[in-house]
Amino acid sequence: MIEVTGLTKRYGKKTAVDNLTFTVRRGEIVGFLGPNGAGKSTTMNMLTGYIAPTVGTVYINGYNLMDAPEQAKESVGYLPEIPPLYMDMTVNEYLNFVFGIKKCKFPRREHLNEVCEVVRISHVRHRMIRNLSKGYRQRVGLAQALINDPKILILDEPTVGLDPKEIVEIRNLIQKLGQTRTVILSSHVLSEIQSVCERVIIVNEGHLVADALTEDLARSAAANSRYAVRIAAPQDQVVPVLSAIPGMLKVELQGSMEPGTVDVMIEADKDVDIRRALFEECAKRGWYILVITPVGVSLEDIFLKLVDPSSIRPEGEPLTLDQATPEESAKEDDAQ
Ligand code: ADP
């Protein structure tokens, strides 16, 4: 449905988007993930024909966006990062205005009623846009994207600046819209992509660094089991003794938070319940396990690994999931 090949955008010497190639199939909900400045908005703007690529092609529904822009754009609804709203219009005036611009062929009244119903703004149609909350403005932004019933929705950071309740509502709405449409959603929040998208494309500094099913990324994150453990034991013996337990992959000394104890982070093969062997080994030596806490690995860990500039990878080659081994430390969740 969307085919992007070698998409590149340069601003003078700055390459904002560098040689992106990916396809999005009919009905997919794809997350476009990357830190601020990664090139997400630039890509969205090229996918929707707002700006022209320096190099590369975009095909939408079989139409080349450069050669046949009208046909290509017909099936796309776009919600830019800053929704193109006119604050001095009422919701009704604005949606009628967009209806006209899009040269929408559907019966006007029914179509606008339906769109307002879907995004639940029917009760604010007579209000000025400037008087609406951010969440409602975003719904109006979604409404304008839905006019003309596009089969593809491109949403750029649709929940930025919203409060937590609004975020949940907009995410639910996107999921609902995604049941009958292809959706590309950009975000710098991993949990958003996790909760909404089946597939995730990760970009950093204009490069594609991963393209995978969200589920596979999550599974790869849980590849091994990890625990934070506090043991009352002699510090110098803990690492060698625990490292010798069958199935143990890694033992890292974290320090000592209580006198006479040692904190370690252990990582074991997921097929082994390392807790039993750990208990036996400690009991045998008269050591006490005071704390054992499972440490989950989030997509954040993988993401940080993928975009870590110090990650060693061949020049220009995207990281594969196999290389995306989880980082040791639990990283701060940047989700809301
Ligand atoms: P994101 O949406 O992921 O935050 P952007 O696509 O907005 O990233 O920006 C990618 C990079 O391109 C940034 O370094 C940004 O400063 C640069 N950039 C974006 N638009 C322009 C422009 N019109 N002129 C010059 N540089 C730009």
Side-chain angles (χ1 to χ4, degrees), residues 3 19 26 35 47 59 69 102 108 110 142 157 161-162 182 192 195 225 240 246 254 268-269 275:
E3 233 181 299
N19 199 20
R26 190 182 301 275
L47 292 186
Y59 277 85
K102 287 198 179 180
R108 182 182 289 252
E110 284 86 351
L142 274 171
E157 299 263 5
L162 303 185
T182 303
E192 178 151 288
S195 67
S225 41
Q254 305 284 299
D269 191 313
R275 293 169 303 179

Side-chain angles (χ1 to χ4, degrees), residues 11 14-17 34-43 81 156-157:
Y11 292 108
K14 165 96 198 165
T15 304
V17 172
N36 290 324
K40 301 184 297 295
S41 294
T42 308
T43 305
E81 191 173 0
D156 195 358
E157 299 263 5

Side-chain angles (χ1 to χ4, degrees), residues 173-191:
L173 192 51
I174 292 168
Q175 260 170 334
K176 194 167 112 193
L177 295 173
Q179 287 168 1
T180 50
R181 291 172 186 82
T182 303
V183 179
I184 300 185
L185 160 89
S186 88
S187 179
H188 66 284
V189 181
L190 281 150
S191 57

Side-chain angles (χ1 to χ4, degrees), residues 67-317:
D67 299 340
E70 288 215 352
Q71 290 94 322
K73 285 184 196 173
E74 208 173 67
S75 44
V76 177
Y78 182 32
L79 177 62
E81 191 173 0
I82 300 165
L85 303 176
Y86 290 104
M87 295 295 162
D88 291 330
M89 287 184 177
T90 63
V91 173
N92 237 350
E93 285 167 348
Y94 173 67
L95 295 181
N96 271 286
F97 168 71
V98 175
F99 187 97
I101 287 189
K102 287 198 179 180
K103 299 188 185 124
C104 185
K105 300 277 190 314
F106 293 107
R108 182 182 289 252
R109 185 200 287 257
E110 284 86 351
H111 186 54
L112 292 185
N113 282 349
E114 200 181 311
V115 165
C116 290
E117 203 58 41
V118 170
V119 299
R120 300 214 195 98
I121 53 169
S122 303
H123 57 297
V124 297
R125 283 178 74 169
H126 297 289
R127 286 178 58 182
M128 294 271 272
I129 293 177
R130 74 162 66 257
N131 295 332
L132 297 178
S133 68
K134 269 202 153 180
Y136 268 92
R137 285 185 201 169
Q138 201 66 343
R139 284 166 191 257
V140 177
L142 274 171
Q144 66 76 30
L146 286 172
I147 290 177
N148 212 17
D149 194 21
K151 290 299 166 225
I152 301 171
L153 277 182
I154 298 187
L155 313 173
D156 195 358
E157 299 263 5
T159 59
V160 154
L162 303 185
D163 70 34
K165 185 166 168 275
E166 292 171 334
I167 288 174
V168 172
E169 287 170 0
I170 294 290
R171 282 183 190 166
N172 289 341
L173 192 51
I174 292 168
Q175 260 170 334
K176 194 167 112 193
L177 295 173
Q179 287 168 1
T180 50
R181 291 172 186 82
T182 303
V183 179
I184 300 185
L185 160 89
S186 88
S187 179
H188 66 284
V189 181
L190 281 150
S191 57
E192 178 151 288
I193 302 280
Q194 252 175 321
S195 67
V196 179
C197 305
E198 299 136 18
R199 192 175 134 211
V200 57
I201 292 172
I202 302 180
V203 286
N204 187 48
E205 293 177 357
H207 297 278
L208 186 127
V209 290
D211 181 349
L213 294 177
T214 318
E215 196 181 280
D216 287 348
L217 270 181
R219 203 176 301 127
S220 115
N224 295 316
S225 41
R226 299 198 305 160
Y227 297 94
V229 187
R230 179 170 300 167
I231 310 174
Q235 183 155 3
D236 57 333
Q237 292 177 34
V238 170
V239 174
V241 167
L242 299 195
S243 299
I245 297 175
M248 188 71 81
L249 300 175
K250 208 185 271 182
V251 180
E252 276 196 359
L253 205 54
Q254 305 284 299
S256 172
M257 303 294 283
E258 282 178 53
T261 70
V262 183
D263 284 5
V264 284
M265 183 72 76
I266 61 170
E267 188 172 326
D269 191 313
K270 68 172 186 315
D271 298 328
V272 176
D273 186 352
I274 204 69
R275 293 169 303 179
R276 292 167 202 275
L278 179 70
F279 176 80
E280 279 172 12
E281 199 58 49
C282 290
K284 206 159 70 187
R285 290 162 198 274
W287 299 353
Y288 293 96
I289 298 176
L290 303 177
V291 176
I292 178 159
T293 315
V295 179
V297 182
S298 68
L299 270 182
E300 273 81 352
D301 293 299
I302 293 187
F303 180 60
L304 289 168
K305 179 76 178 178
L306 284 169
V307 302
D308 179 0
S310 65
S311 304
I312 301 159
R313 64 175 193 269
E315 192 63 36
E317 200 172 288

Side-chain angles (χ1 to χ4, degrees), residues 311-327:
S311 304
I312 301 159
R313 64 175 193 269
E315 192 63 36
E317 200 172 288
L319 280 175
T320 65
L321 281 176
D322 294 339
Q323 289 168 279
T325 47
E327 286 278 64

